[in-house]
Amino acid sequence: MYSEKVMEHFNNPRNVGELPDANGVGEVGNARCGDIMRMYLKINDDGIVEDVKFKTFGCGAAVATSSMATELIKGKTIEEAKKLTNKAVVEALDGLPPAKLHCSVLAEEAVQAAFADYEKRKQEAQK
């Protein structure tokens, strides 16, 4: 059913929590299944994702995809991290059951929402 990597990230999720000094926060949800993901980004002056945390309310696959998404973007440039796809999350987890693929889409959307918030804050600061 679930790969060993999915179970590992569910049982021992990476980067869980909040970042009080986050400069990008994104939240997405899926009304059908009830999953909610919130991503926190700390991007440094060089445009590197210095730190990333998440809080997810949802099933094991939602927790695992959130955890893996944070691992895949941490330490990357904004440009590299913005290229994260749900397919990359699924591949990094060695697959997901078809009924749980929407969790990987939520993880991608949460990351993109956090970057959108970062860009908005950056523009507002420049005014």
Side-chain angles (χ1 to χ4, degrees):
M1 175 134 181
Y2 287 115
S3 72
E4 284 183 35
K5 279 190 183 176
V6 171
M7 293 307 296
E8 171 60 24
H9 277 269
F10 169 66
N11 289 316
N12 302 293
R14 280 62 154 185
N15 306 305
V16 176
E18 297 179 25
L19 283 175
D21 60 344
N23 48 12
V25 180
E27 181 174 300
V28 295
N30 182 317
R32 195 178 80 241
C33 67
D35 293 343
I36 299 170
M37 291 182 187
R38 184 177 291 152
M39 286 281 172
Y40 300 85
L41 301 176
K42 177 65 177 167
I43 300 169
N44 68 22
D45 293 338
D46 296 324
I48 305 291
V49 180
E50 192 173 277
D51 202 2
V52 57
K53 301 274 188 209
F54 78 92
K55 291 187 89 173
T56 293
F57 176 82
C59 66
V63 172
T65 56
S66 300
S67 173
M68 181 55 80
T70 64
E71 289 284 280
L72 292 172
I73 66 169
K74 195 171 190 176
K76 299 274 195 305
T77 66
I78 293 170
E79 293 75 27
E80 291 170 326
K82 278 180 145 182
K83 292 178 184 174
L84 178 76
T85 64
N86 71 299
K87 186 178 179 191
V89 173
V90 172
E91 287 175 2
L93 288 169
D94 295 335
L96 281 175
K100 295 297 181 177
L101 288 175
H102 69 276
C103 295
S104 65
V105 173
L106 273 181
E108 176 187 341
E109 289 174 349
V111 168
Q112 296 304 329
F115 278 115
D117 181 57
Y118 168 76
E119 295 294 338
K120 181 180 170 193
R121 290 181 192 209
K122 196 173 168 185
Q123 285 176 352
E124 288 173 359
Q126 291 173 349
K127 287 182 181 177

